[in-house]
Amino acid sequence: MAGTKKSTLALVAERAGVSIASVSRVLNGLSASADVTERVQQAASDLGYVPDATARSLKVGRTEQIALAVADAANPVYMSMMNEVSRVVADGGYRLVLSSTGADPANELDLLSGLDRGFVDGLILSPLRVTDELVEHLRRSRIPIVVLGSLPEGVPLDNVRADSVIGMRLALKHLAKQGRRRIAFLNGPVDTVPGATRLRGYLAAVEEYGTAQQADLQVEADDFTFAAGLPAAEALLDQSSPDAIVCANDLLAVAALKAIARRGLRVPQDIAVVGMDDTEIAQLVHPTLTSVDLGAAKRARTAAKLLLRRLGDPDAEVRQVVIEPKLRVRESSAKDAAREPSRTEASR
Amino acid sequence: MAGTKKSTLALVAERAGVSIASVSRVLNGLSASADVTERVQQAASDLGYVPDATARSLKVGRTEQIALAVADAANPVYMSMMNEVSRVVADGGYRLVLSSTGADPANELDLLSGLDRGFVDGLILSPLRVTDELVEHLRRSRIPIVVLGSLPEGVPLDNVRADSVIGMRLALKHLAKQGRRRIAFLNGPVDTVPGATRLRGYLAAVEEYGTAQQADLQVEADDFTFAAGLPAAEALLDQSSPDAIVCANDLLAVAALKAIARRGLRVPQDIAVVGMDDTEIAQLVHPTLTSVDLGAAKRARTAAKLLLRRLGDPDAEVRQVVIEPKLRVRESSAKDAAREPSRTEASR
DNA sequence: ATCGTTCTTGTAAACGTTTACAGGAGCCGC
DNA sequence: GCGGCTCCTGTAAACGTTTACAAGAACGAT
């Protein structure tokens, strides 16, 4: 069947006794006589011909590749996003180039400059920090970019974001309704976009629902990870005695669960815990974790579709989509402890 | 600084008043007079010139891209592998193209045939199932492939695998030494490579340590996921009363923990649980999960390095690396329940 | 029978690089 | 002062496609 040597249009043409133009036409389904079609197809299959992607790209000016750049691919929420993007993009006939930018904004800039090399047709970018310089680069990019996450007003780029302010509101409302008054906030770095907006949401909700507002109810982990969350949660429990903790992240929430368990306190009886992102982890831990679903999968899917749309129609109007958060109540904040998870999701 | 219009060698040449060959040479650091060098660099930066990746690829016959194909990107163990590969590959100056093949072997075959289109220089493949047809395709591939996982004898391909038979042996030895006699096995699909070898390892270890060998101590989940593991674990507890469960996977192990908790049994006092892969999840759950570290990160890193090596030297001798498993004892199998995790890993 | 259509096919240019080759300038030693 | 050397630079070919254009064949209509 497939030979092991490289094969080219010219070879096929020679074998079929036609010109390379005819071969190209037949293989691309353009008009050709039955005779030529037959001979070309025969020759092509004899030689196991496969068109060269690079040459084609150079000629048609498209690579059929899309880049996805996320800050921290180790975070489960990015993983689920990646999976969604991967699927949509593949369905659209594109390959996915992965770009792990890491926490350093410089990498994002590097990536953006590198984009002009034209190795992808479009980019989905999920920046942790949005600097002016980044925005400037985004504006003058030669290829379509859709941003996954918040963007300053007036930047004319497709983007899809979660409304985490409302998300925090949902969490605090839920807790306040149970009579929780000392609701703490375990945040990640506040100099990141998610960290900043979630803090804003927390403060607004504390105000709205009239729960305790004390500085010692807020703590900031060095990173949105379990490892960073653990000491932060410990510190929080040391410095205050909350009756609920809402966390910027499921990983941080799991860290809170652990810190609470180490002190012999009970969840949710003594302290309720609410996470954010509603990753798979929320359902794995014990007790299962109440979490604010910011629609990561949906955001990712939407972003990918927006990009495909723009690749198809570069002049389409700019669209900014906001995904509405949903609260997934589970054991870690249930009023009656015996309650089952409210919803079971398949994990794949 | 960078202009927003596309720029080409010819434009730079014109502006600098030299030939395109000279421009290319200067930009690639080849010999050139100070005068020309100066003028070219000036012109290039004026125009914000960036070389076109596609054209370069076509000419030099390399794409600087490497593909990574995994069956199920949603599995946390693949995620960690992906991160490692991503890093090594990036350090080597390559981009990473992600290919989620899914459970269907047909997709892997598609991918392999597509590889001849030459959009990547090499491939790291982690197949769930290894069919003859797959092996045949692997042999006649035109680009280097390194296989992440077991491979039939005599296939001359770089590969790196875990010795999960020894891994299972470690797990059972640990449990048997505690006096556990009814050690159950919660496996994933046995028609996959991991499923098959882990079963083999379990049976051999049961033999070696003389623990109970009963059919009802073995159960097979439909997939290596939490969702699939839950009913399987329930069934296991229904049909037998093990004093330990070793699982093919951390996700399955977490499912076992949950099923056990639902019955009001205690871990590890009533039933010890051991997982496999030692993913981050093992440290998040309560109780923390003893797990066999199959060196996923190390395997991935090694595979990536092997591929880079072969890309640099196509005639290097074929290397097959086996990574030695290590047991990470944690609370879920501790003899004395108050014991702390034996080792704390940073999560990033 | 001739002209005009339509349909098929081949020739050749183009995409943006890299690089083999050759021509020319400068320089040295004799 | 001239052959030979080195060093620099330009011309042009090549990578493997796609596609505009023209040429030719076949055929119908007048």
Side-chain angles (χ1 to χ4, degrees), chain A residues 4-70:
Chain A
T4 183
K5 12 199 120 190
K6 61 196 155 192
S7 187
T8 132
L9 260 196
L11 260 6
V12 176
E14 186 184 19
R15 180 176 244 261
V18 299
S19 75
I20 67 170
S22 289
V23 177
S24 175
R25 277 188 288 254
V26 169
L27 265 25
N28 290 331
L30 302 183
S31 67
S33 69
D35 174 46
V36 168
T37 303
E38 158 70 18
R39 294 215 312 274
V40 167
Q41 277 169 349
Q42 181 62 263
S45 102
D46 285 354
L47 274 65
Y49 170 78
V50 266
D52 181 84
T54 307
R56 175 162 216 289
S57 288
L58 176 58
K59 191 59 180 118
V60 304
R62 285 176 297 115
T63 60
E64 324 246 78
Q65 294 190 150
I66 285 178
L68 171 65
V70 295

Side-chain angles (χ1 to χ4, degrees), chain A residues 59-119:
Chain A
K59 191 59 180 118
V60 304
R62 285 176 297 115
T63 60
E64 324 246 78
Q65 294 190 150
I66 285 178
L68 171 65
V70 295
D72 177 14
N75 188 318
V77 69
Y78 285 127
M79 185 178 76
S80 91
M81 293 181 131
M82 210 170 57
N83 278 322
E84 292 297 326
V85 168
S86 155
R87 246 224 325 267
V88 176
V89 149
D91 285 351
Y94 286 84
R95 288 185 296 273
L96 185 63
V97 176
L98 200 60
S99 227
S100 212
T101 54
D104 189 356
N107 289 343
E108 282 169 355
L109 292 180
D110 279 358
L111 170 70
L112 286 181
S113 341
L115 244 39
D116 287 340
R117 311 220 331 254
F119 56 84

